[in-house]
Amino acid sequence: RDLRKSIRKSLRAAGDAGVAFESGRASEPEANALYDRIQAIKARSWKSRDGVGIHAGPMRAFYGTMLPRLCALGQQRVIFARFADRDVGYILGAVMGEEYRGLQFSYDDELASIGIGGLLQYHQVVELCGEGVVRYDLGTEMDYKRRWAEAIMETEMLVLVR
């Protein structure tokens, strides 16, 4: 109930501020331009400032290689938040069958008070429901994800070395 109230409040604040949300499906040849948009947003986020995320190093290379493959398969899903003719947030994931796997999202720190992160999640869920997706995998467990989860599924990673 609190989440619904928070979303409604954020939707009103975003609308009043002139923030809009748009889907950004891309083909394989458009993947690099899509990734450039994502990186530009990432550069203005707390994740970049704190040195975490996909803005540099191996994570940047990994997502830079993965995104064209997801685009080629038609599995990539991204929504951008836009304000004053510029991108201020994104949410990125992939659909496989009836399941969506959230990969990354970030937003411009200057608009944090509007709740851009939660609104990106909300808009992604709405679009996925329209596609018939029945499961949203939030990925690695983190405190901020708990409010979105209906259940927590614990997994373990096993590493085999010869």
Side-chain angles (χ1 to χ4, degrees):
R1 182 170 198 157
D2 289 336
L3 180 58
R4 282 184 281 199
K5 185 177 179 181
S6 175
I7 290 170
R8 283 194 300 272
K9 181 179 176 184
S10 292
L11 284 168
R12 279 192 305 276
D16 291 347
V19 175
F21 296 85
E22 68 177 42
S23 294
R25 300 286 289 276
S27 64
E28 185 176 9
E30 299 166 323
N32 288 335
L34 184 71
Y35 199 45
D36 289 344
R37 287 178 74 181
I38 287 169
Q39 289 297 337
I41 296 163
K42 184 67 73 176
R44 295 186 308 273
S45 75
W46 69 266
K47 291 179 180 181
S48 179
R49 185 185 64 239
D50 291 357
V52 298
I54 63 171
H55 69 287
M59 290 295 284
R60 183 181 182 117
F62 173 77
Y63 278 91
T65 301
M66 180 175 58
L67 189 55
R69 293 175 181 169
L70 292 174
C71 291
L73 295 169
Q75 294 175 317
Q76 163 269 325
R77 301 293 185 275
V78 67
I79 295 178
F80 289 100
R82 295 192 45 81
F83 174 72
D85 295 326
R86 69 182 176 102
D87 295 325
V88 295
Y90 78 92
I91 186 167
L92 170 68
V95 170
M96 291 161 270
E98 294 182 330
E99 184 168 329
Y100 171 83
R101 173 58 160 87
L103 297 171
Q104 292 287 324
F105 79 100
S106 199
Y107 50 88
D108 190 319
D109 279 346
E110 290 180 20
L111 297 172
S113 64
I114 294 175
I116 298 290
L119 290 174
L120 286 163
Q121 293 279 14
Y122 168 78
H123 285 287
Q124 190 74 290
V125 167
V126 168
E127 287 199 13
L128 293 168
C129 288
E131 287 186 47
V133 172
V134 297
R135 182 182 161 108
Y136 186 140
D137 180 348
L138 292 166
T140 306
E141 182 183 348
M142 301 177 108
D143 286 339
Y144 78 88
K145 295 178 183 179
R146 288 185 177 276
R147 65 188 275 197
W148 291 94
E150 293 175 342
I152 304 293
M153 180 177 72
E154 291 188 34
T155 60
E156 293 186 30
M157 179 174 65
L158 301 174
V159 178
L160 303 175
V161 180
R162 283 187 184 192

